[in-house]
Amino acid sequence: NGSVFGKDQPIILVLLDITPMMGVLDGVLMELQDCALPLLKDVIATDKEEVAFKDLDVAILVGSMPRRDGMERKDLLKANVKIFKSQGAALDKYAKKSVKVIVVGNPANTNCLTASKSAPSIPKENFSCLTRLDHNRAKAQVALKLGVTSEDVKNVIIWGNHSSTQYPDVNHAKVKLQGKEVGVYEALKNDSWLKGEFITTVQQRGAAVIKARKLSSAMSAAKAICDHIRDIWFGTPEGEFVSMG
C-alpha cells in the first residue's frame, strides 16, 4: 500500500516457505491478488532458496523455529542455526550485495548474527533485526499514560535483545504537549512508574498478548517490520532516532 517504500514505488513480493506449506502459501497469494494493491507488480511464491533470494533488494527473514513445550533454548538455537545458515548462504550467493536484511524470527539477535556470518560478501551493517516492536510498545505506553497519540512521543530506546532482559529507556525521550517538546520524565512526573511498571509492561508485552489472544503478536509485529524497513530505506527525520538490533 506504499507505506514502506513510498506511494510511487512498485514492488515484487517473493514469498518463501517450506514445501509442506505451499498450499497455505497459495491461499496467501490469492488474498494478495484479491487485495488489488496498485503497487504490487508481481508475487512469486516458492519453496526454493535460489528463486527466493535472487537479486533481492530487501530480505525479511520471518521464518524461525518456535519454541515448543519441553524444548530447551539450546534445542531452539540448534534448529534455528540451520535455517539462518542456509538463508545467509543463499543471500550470499543470489542476492544483490546491497541487500538489506531484516531478521524477525526469534531469537532475532542470534539468528541475525548467524545469517550475517553465513553471508561474508554482504556488508555486516546491511543486517539488522527487529526491536522496533518493543520500541513501538514503549512509545505507546508513554502516550497512553499521558493521553496523547504515539506520534507525539519520540526517541525512546530499546537496549539489548528482543527478550524479557531488554531495557526500555526513556531518558532521552521527548513528548509534544500543548505544541512544545518536553522530556518524558518532566512531562509524566511519575518516576516510580517509569522505573517500574513501565519497564516490566514493555518487557512482558509479548507474553501478555499471547495470554490474551492465545497467539503471538501479528498485526503489531507486521507494522513494526514496515516501520523498521521504511526507516532503513528513507532514514529518520533530523533529531529523531529509532531502535534496531
Side-chain angles (χ1 to χ4, degrees):
N1 68 5
S3 62
V4 179
F5 299 106
K7 299 285 178 200
D8 53 3
Q9 176 59 62
I11 60 172
I12 297 170
L13 269 184
V14 190
L15 309 176
L16 171 71
D17 214 327
I18 54 175
T19 313
M21 295 301 283
M22 287 311 286
V24 177
L25 200 55
D26 284 339
V28 175
L29 183 67
M30 286 184 230
E31 280 226 86
L32 281 165
Q33 290 164 344
D34 297 349
C35 284
L37 293 156
L39 293 170
L40 192 55
K41 238 173 87 168
D42 194 12
V43 183
I44 297 157
T46 182
D47 57 357
K48 294 177 177 57
E49 284 183 342
E50 62 272 23
V51 176
F53 290 102
K54 189 163 171 46
D55 296 336
L56 285 189
D57 295 294
V58 176
I60 309 165
L61 306 185
V62 292
S64 66
M65 174 93 159
R67 189 166 166 184
R68 300 210 173 87
D69 250 10
M71 263 179 100
E72 284 192 39
R73 194 158 278 271
K74 63 170 193 271
D75 304 324
L76 187 65
L77 283 170
K78 208 190 263 174
N80 280 316
V81 160
K82 219 170 109 193
I83 295 170
F84 288 89
K85 256 188 164 166
S86 158
Q87 296 193 344
L91 282 163
D92 202 57
K93 197 167 168 188
Y94 304 109
K96 294 178 180 173
K97 297 307 171 201
S98 58
V99 66
K100 300 286 188 284
V101 184
I102 294 89
V103 177
V104 178
N106 285 317
N109 300 62
T110 317
N111 290 342
C112 188
L113 181 69
T114 305
S116 168
K117 291 270 192 227
S118 308
S121 71
I122 297 168
K124 66 177 185 298
E125 59 270 22
N126 289 21
F127 285 82
S128 60
C129 66
L130 195 73
T131 54
R132 185 58 172 268
L133 180 50
D134 307 297
H135 179 99
N136 287 351
R137 284 166 173 165
K139 263 175 64 155
Q141 288 302 313
V142 170
L144 283 167
K145 196 79 172 164
L146 282 165
V148 297
T149 69
S150 296
E151 195 57 30
D152 297 322
V153 182
K154 69 175 193 188
N155 294 356
V156 303
I157 303 172
I158 302 295
W159 300 104
N161 280 337
H162 169 66
S163 72
S164 56
T165 58
Q166 61 170 271
Y167 178 66
D169 173 5
V170 289
N171 287 301
H172 307 271
K174 299 255 191 290
V175 61
K176 200 182 276 170
L177 288 178
Q178 282 101 43
K180 75 177 215 290
E181 276 189 358
V182 287
V184 164
Y185 270 90
E186 190 193 330
L188 264 172
K189 300 178 178 58
N190 189 342
D191 292 14
S192 68
W193 181 78
L194 280 170
K195 288 178 173 161
E197 194 188 326
F198 162 72
I199 290 173
T200 52
T201 299
V202 175
Q203 285 174 339
Q204 292 163 18
R205 186 69 164 186
V209 170
I210 291 173
K211 194 166 183 257
R213 230 171 71 85
K214 311 290 179 268
L215 292 164
S216 60
S217 310
M219 185 163 60
S220 55
K223 161 70 165 53
I225 294 166
C226 292
D227 292 345
H228 179 121
I229 297 169
R230 186 187 60 245
D231 288 338
I232 280 184
W233 206 251
F234 291 108
T236 52
E238 192 61 43
E240 270 187 50
F241 44 80
V242 294
S243 308
M244 298 179 183

